[in-house]
Amino acid sequence: MKRYCLALDLVDDPEIIEQYKLHHQKVPGLIEKSIREAGIKVMEIYLTGNRLFMIMEVNDDFSFEKKAKMDAANEGVQKWEQMMDQLQKALPWAKPGEKWVLMDKIFSLKK
């Protein structure tokens, strides 16, 4: 199993941040299903201020390209993404059109 960590900002507005949190307390089943079908076994999102941090643990068949194609073909996922787009703000160093930015691991404490 492989782990990925990603970051994204929310619009820096307390009401927007609260909306995002509420949406993620009640994620629709079709969204959870699409995440699992892409090969994502574990997904956690953390928040500090308006910065989001996501941890994903994925199976060996997972790829971001495959997930993007699956999402593009899923009308329910597209509606969810459009709703989230209103609340999210790209990181200053993100590429055009990039939302979640993959983070580099720079430290690991081993047993």
Side-chain angles (χ1 to χ4, degrees):
M1 195 159 327
K2 188 164 185 172
R3 177 181 293 151
Y4 293 103
C5 298
L6 301 103
L8 175 67
D9 282 348
L10 293 174
V11 173
D12 197 6
D13 176 302
E15 289 181 23
I16 297 288
I17 293 167
E18 192 58 33
Q19 279 182 23
Y20 190 87
K21 289 165 56 175
L22 289 172
H23 284 303
H24 283 79
Q25 290 174 6
K26 300 175 189 172
V27 174
L30 68 97
I31 300 302
E32 286 189 10
K33 182 178 182 219
S34 75
I35 290 168
R36 293 182 195 285
E37 288 177 347
I40 300 168
K41 298 297 184 187
V42 176
M43 178 184 280
E44 298 176 331
I45 299 176
Y46 295 83
L47 172 68
T48 182
N50 71 316
R51 174 91 15 111
L52 298 171
F53 173 63
M54 181 193 314
I55 301 171
M56 296 184 342
E57 292 182 3
V58 302
N59 66 22
D60 293 336
D61 296 329
F62 175 83
S63 80
F64 287 102
E65 295 79 16
K66 181 176 92 173
K67 172 90 170 85
K69 283 182 184 178
M70 291 173 67
D71 290 351
N74 186 321
E75 186 178 328
V77 170
Q78 289 304 304
K79 286 181 181 178
W80 173 262
E81 289 300 327
Q82 288 169 2
M83 185 171 50
M84 293 301 105
D85 283 347
Q86 304 302 308
L87 311 175
Q88 298 168 334
K89 181 176 86 171
L91 295 172
W93 52 88
K95 297 173 187 154
E98 185 177 37
K99 288 176 56 167
W100 288 96
V101 175
L102 193 60
M103 300 174 76
D104 296 321
K105 180 174 20 174
I106 63 167
F107 175 78
S108 180
L109 181 65
K110 304 288 183 179
K111 292 183 182 181

